[in-house]
Amino acid sequence: MKAMILAAGLGTRLRPLTTGRPKALVEIGGRTLLEITLSRLRAFGIREVIINTHHFADIILEYLRTNVNFGMRIEVSREEVLLDTGGGLKKAAYFFLEDSNCFETPFILHNVDVISTIDLRRMLQVHTESHALATLAVQDRKTSRYLLFDEQLQLCGRRSGRDQKTEFARPSQQARALAFCGIHVISPRLFAMMMEEGAFSIINSYLQLASRGNKILAFRADEYYWRDVGKLDDLM
């Protein structure tokens, strides 16, 4: 099984810690966010990872060389222009499509600034047994951007902004608003369905795909610890 770590962001919300280094190399307890994420993935048996980079990309490359890629096969997808979550994933598609059985093997997409104890094995099991196109870790907590799921925990819309504007991808009688955790399990079948080009959000793709009847599933992660450390206060 393979994984991708989203690490190309500018890290503006972590300044001044990111004035001279990328967000992925900000430290907690003497360990970088990138090392923490790689260790989590390695603990679940993942040995092949691609990381997208943009801001201070050369520093990340040198960091990986110095640490001998933490004993993993690691590739780097450099973005000269930021491609957002969807565009970044699409640019890295070759990494997940290089094997003969690639369409049968799901992969993990993980934000570098997310720390959690979410059970990736359970998440993978739910994804596989449901034959979902993508499975998203979600929690019942407050956020400024919600995803909406129906009674079968399938994506049907979103609610965001100060006015909590609601957008439905497909109708639902009892949509539940849940907060996304920045961790996905994805079937490589997704790549053939991504019609967008350039920079775009993966969530926009999910909503489009859900509107056409594809199964984008929620994995309830309420029992696990989770923290987005992309802001200075949360990091501290």
Side-chain angles (χ1 to χ4, degrees):
M1 190 176 182
K2 297 180 178 180
M4 180 173 185
I5 299 175
L6 295 172
L10 299 177
T12 54
R13 298 180 301 169
L14 283 174
R15 289 175 181 164
L17 297 179
T18 51
T19 300
R21 59 180 163 178
K23 175 171 62 175
L25 299 189
V26 169
E27 295 184 357
I28 294 179
R31 302 173 71 208
T32 66
L33 297 181
L34 183 55
E35 180 190 353
I36 292 169
T37 306
L38 287 169
S39 296
R40 278 272 295 157
L41 295 172
R42 193 171 59 239
F44 285 98
I46 294 171
R47 292 294 182 273
E48 297 181 85
V49 177
I50 188 166
I51 303 166
N52 71 336
T53 63
H54 171 75
H55 190 50
F56 294 123
D58 290 334
I59 296 178
I60 292 180
L61 288 168
E62 180 58 31
Y63 173 78
L64 291 170
R65 279 194 292 267
T66 299
N67 289 281
V68 200
N69 287 344
F70 295 93
M72 306 169 77
R73 175 200 170 194
I74 297 179
E75 293 201 16
V76 172
S77 175
R78 295 185 68 145
E79 299 177 11
E80 299 305 319
V81 176
L82 280 173
L83 295 175
D84 206 340
T85 51
L89 174 61
K90 188 171 183 177
K91 185 176 188 295
Y94 73 91
F95 183 75
F96 302 102
L97 301 177
E98 62 187 1
D99 302 323
S100 59
N101 66 339
C102 62
F103 289 104
E104 306 301 322
T105 307
F107 63 90
I108 290 173
L109 183 63
H110 200 297
N111 290 1
V112 76
D113 54 4
V114 162
I115 293 178
S116 81
T117 61
I118 293 173
D119 189 334
L120 300 181
R121 287 193 186 91
R122 274 192 61 200
M123 202 173 160
L124 174 62
Q125 181 181 5
V126 168
H127 174 86
T128 302
E129 291 177 352
S130 67
H131 303 287
L133 183 62
T135 300
L136 314 181
V138 295
Q139 292 179 328
D140 185 6
R141 55 178 167 79
K142 289 185 177 181
T143 183
S144 60
R145 294 177 293 178
Y146 289 99
L147 295 180
L148 305 178
F149 296 88
D150 64 16
E151 299 89 336
Q152 286 75 46
L153 289 180
Q154 293 189 41
L155 181 67
C156 61
R158 66 179 160 192
R159 182 181 302 151
S160 60
R162 291 183 179 179
D163 58 355
Q164 288 292 283
K165 180 181 178 181
T166 298
E167 171 189 350
F168 280 100
R170 54 188 184 79
S172 174
Q173 295 295 322
Q174 294 181 332
R176 171 169 289 187
L178 297 168
F180 179 44
C181 296
I183 302 172
H184 330 223
V185 177
I186 301 172
S187 166
R189 294 183 289 115
L190 175 73
F191 293 119
M193 302 179 185
M194 298 170 81
M195 299 296 105
E196 301 91 342
E197 298 292 340
F200 63 93
S201 164
I202 189 66
I203 299 299
N204 290 345
S205 289
Y206 287 154
L207 290 166
Q208 286 290 330
L209 291 165
S211 73
R212 300 199 292 268
N214 293 284
K215 184 184 287 187
I216 312 297
L217 194 67
F219 173 78
R220 293 296 300 268
D222 305 288
E223 64 189 276
Y224 303 104
Y225 174 83
W226 175 90
R227 173 73 71 175
D228 180 338
V229 294
K231 293 181 181 179
L232 197 56
D233 288 345
D234 290 320
L235 181 81
M236 295 307 177

